[in-house]
């Protein structure tokens, strides 16, 4: 382990980390809606999977609900970055809600692929995690055509109508390596399985996994900042463990770091999930500095410059106000 034992205690901070373009867009959507329309603004599900972000928006007047039926008739509701099914849009229309759709454009792309393949009578194997909001939204686009494949163990139980008309899609926040392995096993069963026209796993998920691999190879310990219900954050922990780190842990914030994790450690890797604000990473670095990890180096693996415009429903009203 000589490659992991520098003379001083140090921290390797992954870049890119934290907010992706879709999360930044979704959080800004709620913030701008509160400024434009005033509180309360309702949000169906957590706007992004981070407890600190949700709490901060609640303090500003956002009200988070589980289902659209909990929103008062005629009120404003924001749909989260994870997307919703057509049934949710229909319920919102029935209740005369003013909807602002903050679905990440990359999730919308997967929805459109599902609709297109279903219209051509393909069976669709959706690789993802059961119960995840993104999976529920995508599956709702074509429930009669979509079958969930939740991990390698589910491949052997897949049943299809016509193996010649079969395509796979995926949740955008999965482990790249695990998804590749799942697809390989599916193709061993169904040689004519069609790939989606472009990669479904989002650029930010892939970039953060590439970055954590680089720091994990040099660190005994990797700390991933993110919430337990964040799929992409949990995948970062798995990737770190699989690519060299002796230990890796998921923490919501610095207060959850245990001192014993640092015993005998000389190099700590730090990264954060795609829905994590940077101040939470700063808190972790401050906590580590108090334990002697004052040498901090940022390791950039991929440059990111992606930006998404705010939802058109909100942009329209913002323009009217500006005029």
């Amino acid at each position: 382990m000589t490659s992991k034992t520098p003379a001083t205690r140090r921290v390797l901070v992954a870049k890119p980390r934290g907010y992706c373009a879709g999360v930044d867009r979704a959080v800004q959507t709620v913030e701008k809606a509160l400024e434009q329309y005033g509180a309360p603004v309702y949000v169906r599900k957590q706007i992004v999977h981070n407890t600190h972000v949700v709490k901060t928006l609640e303090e500003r007047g956002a009200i988070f609900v589980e289902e659209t039926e909990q929103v008062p008739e005629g009120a404003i509701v924001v749909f989260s970055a994870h997307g919703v099914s057509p049934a949710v849009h229909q319920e919102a229309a029935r209740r005369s809600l003013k909807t602002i759709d903050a679905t990440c454009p990359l999730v919308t792309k997967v929805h459109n692929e599902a609709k297109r393949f279903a219209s051509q009578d393909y069976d669709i194997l959706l690789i993802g995690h059961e119960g995840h909001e993104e999976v529920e939204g995508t599956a709702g686009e074509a429930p009669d055509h979509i079958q969930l494949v939740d991990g390698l163990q589910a491949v052997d139980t897949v049943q299809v109508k016509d193996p010649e008309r079969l395509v796979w899609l995926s949740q955008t926040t999965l482990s790249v390596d695990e998804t590749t392995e799942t697809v390989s096993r599916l193709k061993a069963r169904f040689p004519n399985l069609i790939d989606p026209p472009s990669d479904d796993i989002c650029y930010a998920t892939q970039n953060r996994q590439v970055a954590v691999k680089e720091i994990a190879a040099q660190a005994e310990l990797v700390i991933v900042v993110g919430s337990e219900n964040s799929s992409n954050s949990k995948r970062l922990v798995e990737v770190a463990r699989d690519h060299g780190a002796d230990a890796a842990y998921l923490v919501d914030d610095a207060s959850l770091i245990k001192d014993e994790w640092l015993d005998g450690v000389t190099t700590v890797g730090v990264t954060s999930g795609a829905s994590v604000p940077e101040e939470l990473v700063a808190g972790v670095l401050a906590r580590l500095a108090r334990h002697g990890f004052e040498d901090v180096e940022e390791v950039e693996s991929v440059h990111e410059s992606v930006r998404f415009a705010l939802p058109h429903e909100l942009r329209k009203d913002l323009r009217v106000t500006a005029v």
Side-chain angles (χ1 to χ4, degrees), residues 17 21 69 82 89 113 117 126 145 151 168 170 176 185 199 217 220 222 228 251 262 297 302 319:
R17 62 183 178 275
E69 63 190 23
H82 307 103
H89 284 285
E113 289 170 350
F117 282 112
L126 177 60
H145 290 265
W168 70 270
S170 80
V176 177
R185 188 173 294 191
D199 199 340
E220 297 103 319
V222 172
E228 186 61 35
V251 299
L262 305 175
E297 176 187 349
V302 185
R319 284 197 299 270

Side-chain angles (χ1 to χ4, degrees), residues 1-6 10 216-221 244-247 264-267:
M1 196 179 292
T2 54
S3 64
K4 293 187 180 180
T5 54
R10 63 173 183 165
Q218 307 173 63
E220 297 103 319
L221 168 68
D246 298 331
V265 171
T266 54
T267 301

Side-chain angles (χ1 to χ4, degrees), residues 182-239:
T182 301
V183 172
S184 295
R185 188 173 294 191
L186 283 168
K187 286 186 173 181
R189 283 198 64 197
F190 307 106
N192 293 323
L193 178 68
I194 296 174
D195 296 327
S198 60
D199 199 340
D200 285 345
I201 296 179
C202 88
Y203 78 93
T205 296
Q206 296 187 52
N207 290 349
R208 279 148 190 73
Q209 289 176 19
V210 168
V212 82
K213 287 178 184 179
E214 186 166 344
I215 63 171
Q218 307 173 63
E220 297 103 319
L221 168 68
V222 172
I223 294 173
V224 178
V225 187
S227 293
E228 186 61 35
N229 64 337
S230 167
S231 177
N232 78 86
S233 297
K234 291 171 74 174
R235 299 294 83 73
L236 289 174
V237 174
E238 296 170 0
V239 171

Side-chain angles (χ1 to χ4, degrees), residues 109-294:
K109 177 182 78 72
V110 181
H111 281 225
N112 290 337
E113 289 170 350
K115 288 187 286 188
R116 180 166 66 85
F117 282 112
S119 71
Q120 298 170 14
D121 202 30
Y122 277 83
D123 273 354
I124 301 167
L125 303 182
L126 177 60
I127 302 172
H129 297 302
E130 186 172 4
H132 192 280
E133 290 149 41
E134 183 186 327
V135 166
E136 292 177 349
T138 302
E141 293 287 0
D144 295 334
H145 290 265
I146 292 179
Q147 180 176 171
L148 180 64
V149 181
D150 190 350
L152 285 170
Q153 73 284 354
V155 171
D156 294 338
T157 62
V158 170
Q159 300 293 326
V160 300
K161 296 193 299 289
D162 183 356
E164 303 301 314
R165 298 189 68 77
L166 188 62
V167 64
W168 70 270
L169 303 176
S170 80
Q171 183 180 326
T172 63
T173 54
L174 298 181
S175 160
V176 177
D177 295 337
E178 184 179 343
T179 302
T180 300
E181 190 174 355
T182 301
V183 172
S184 295
R185 188 173 294 191
L186 283 168
K187 286 186 173 181
R189 283 198 64 197
F190 307 106
N192 293 323
L193 178 68
I194 296 174
D195 296 327
S198 60
D199 199 340
D200 285 345
I201 296 179
C202 88
Y203 78 93
T205 296
Q206 296 187 52
N207 290 349
R208 279 148 190 73
Q209 289 176 19
V210 168
V212 82
K213 287 178 184 179
E214 186 166 344
I215 63 171
Q218 307 173 63
E220 297 103 319
L221 168 68
V222 172
I223 294 173
V224 178
V225 187
S227 293
E228 186 61 35
N229 64 337
S230 167
S231 177
N232 78 86
S233 297
K234 291 171 74 174
R235 299 294 83 73
L236 289 174
V237 174
E238 296 170 0
V239 171
R241 289 172 180 162
D242 290 342
H243 287 83
D246 298 331
Y249 300 100
L250 181 67
V251 299
D252 247 316
D253 55 49
S255 68
L256 297 177
I257 296 173
K258 297 181 179 180
D259 290 347
E260 56 263 33
W261 295 351
L262 305 175
D263 291 345
V265 171
T266 54
T267 301
V268 178
V270 174
T271 189
S272 57
S275 51
V276 176
E278 184 63 17
E279 61 260 31
L280 297 183
V281 175
V284 166
L285 296 180
R287 173 79 180 266
L288 291 173
R290 292 195 293 272
H291 286 270
F293 292 88
E294 297 178 340

Side-chain angles (χ1 to χ4, degrees), residues 25-34 37 40-48 57 62-65 68 71 75-81 84 88-89 92 97-103 311 313-314:
R25 173 182 186 264
V27 174
Q28 280 196 55
T29 294
V30 180
E31 292 173 341
K32 294 289 187 183
L34 286 165
Y37 310 115
V41 167
Y42 291 83
V43 184
R44 184 185 181 275
K45 306 287 187 181
Q46 292 189 355
I47 186 67
V48 296
L57 293 173
I63 297 176
F64 292 86
V65 298
T68 313
V71 181
I76 296 169
V77 62
V78 178
F79 294 144
S80 81
V84 299
V88 174
H89 284 285
L97 303 180
K98 177 179 175 60
T99 60
I100 302 173
D101 191 352
T103 300
E313 308 97 327
L314 182 57

Side-chain angles (χ1 to χ4, degrees), residues 40-59:
V41 167
Y42 291 83
V43 184
R44 184 185 181 275
K45 306 287 187 181
Q46 292 189 355
I47 186 67
V48 296
H49 284 161
N50 185 269
T51 56
H52 290 269
V53 171
V54 170
K55 181 180 178 182
T56 300
L57 293 173
E58 283 179 332
E59 291 170 350

